[in-house]
Amino acid sequence: MLTLLHEDPFTHRAFYKPRKYAGDAVMLDYIYGQEDYWPLPECTALGKQIFDYTTLAPASAGVRARRGYIADVLDLAAFETTRPHVLSIASGHFREAEMSAAIRRRRFGRVVALDADPQSLNEVETRYGRYGVETIAEPLMSLLKGTVDAGRFDLIYSLGLFDYLNEKIGRRLVTKAFEMLRPGGRLIVANFLPGIHDIGYMEAIMDWKLIYRTRQEMIGMTLDIPEEEIQSVALESEENNNIIFMTIRRKNEIK
Ligand SMILES: C[S@@+](CC[C@H](N)C(=O)[O-])C[C@H]1O[C@@H](n2cnc3c(N)ncnc32)[C@H](O)[C@@H]1O
């Protein structure tokens, strides 16, 4: 049974983890490819049917909605602020660049894609270097330990990373990323919500285990940020209610 289900390239890649963990940037491309009409990966006829099921199921739909959400945020950010500086932590292939007019029209002062996987960042450089996107091939630990100084940003976001981070590291990264904001800047962190329909298939068949967070657990990750530096904390979920976004805004100035 498992062998048959693994004829689906998406299930197969999650299970065998060629980059040591499920949900790498190549897997995410399988998900985005359904929306962008990219060629299907090679597989059997059965594999293709299962692929259509897995890459159209709620978790995948949530990932597509997540990319759309951040592309809208990017376009609005470039409209509201002149040439803002943006950092994506764990950018993967940075496919939001396919959807954001502001990225393509070079409306940003800086766009930085940070990821631990240099192979993923090669793809970012090849496809989006022409739009001025810079890459930093470092794990998040380099930010936490301060061995890398990426700069200061008007918008920092992280999609598809916190689902793998325990509470301690999640809190540390939220606190550190908040410190890296310019006055008035925003940090946006996405996480899967509990109760998604495909958890059973993902865990049992794909061996893809994520950390799901409630609204309260999202707020919990902000508690090490000094209260007087926070302008606001807001939570909203994407259109399918599978993924939650937390936006923490830094005050313009601290009195
Ligand atoms: C699920 S993908 C999300 C990619 C992209 N943000 C997106 O939404 O399409 C997770 C990404 O996190 C990166 N990653 C995992 N652990 C990391 C770490 N410790 N430091 C930096 N990046 C990491 C992986 O290389 C991968 O590109």
Side-chain angles (χ1 to χ4, degrees), residues 190-246:
N191 211 110
F192 271 100
L193 283 161
I196 195 163
H197 286 324
D198 358 3
I199 291 181
Y201 185 93
M202 287 168 69
E203 295 199 349
I205 312 294
M206 302 176 88
D207 189 27
W208 189 1
K209 297 191 178 79
L210 295 176
I211 295 171
Y212 299 86
R213 287 197 165 88
T214 61
R215 278 176 286 158
Q216 206 168 0
E217 287 167 330
M218 294 298 282
I219 297 285
M221 290 195 293
T222 69
L223 297 181
D224 292 337
I225 303 173
E227 196 64 48
E228 64 278 11
E229 294 179 17
I230 297 180
Q231 176 71 42
S232 60
V233 179
L235 292 167
E236 73 181 299
S237 52
E238 44 73 38
E239 62 214 42
N240 309 300
N241 269 329
N242 292 324
I243 293 179
I244 190 164
F245 299 93
M246 176 167 68

Side-chain angles (χ1 to χ4, degrees), residues 110-122:
R110 269 186 96 200
V111 181
V112 182
L114 180 145
D115 201 285
D117 180 352
Q119 266 180 282
S120 296
L121 293 181
N122 279 343

Side-chain angles (χ1 to χ4, degrees), residues 2 7 14 38 44 47 53-54 95 129 131 133 158 216 254:
L2 209 54
E7 287 186 25
W38 292 333
T44 60
Y53 168 76
T54 51
R95 293 298 186 210
Y131 304 128
V133 178
S158 189
Q216 206 168 0
I254 301 165

Side-chain angles (χ1 to χ4, degrees), residues 15-35:
F15 192 83
Y16 289 101
K17 304 178 181 50
R19 298 203 188 160
K20 310 278 185 257
Y21 62 94
D24 61 25
V26 174
M27 279 190 67
L28 283 248
D29 276 0
Y30 291 159
I31 295 175
Y32 300 137
Q34 287 283 16
E35 190 166 69

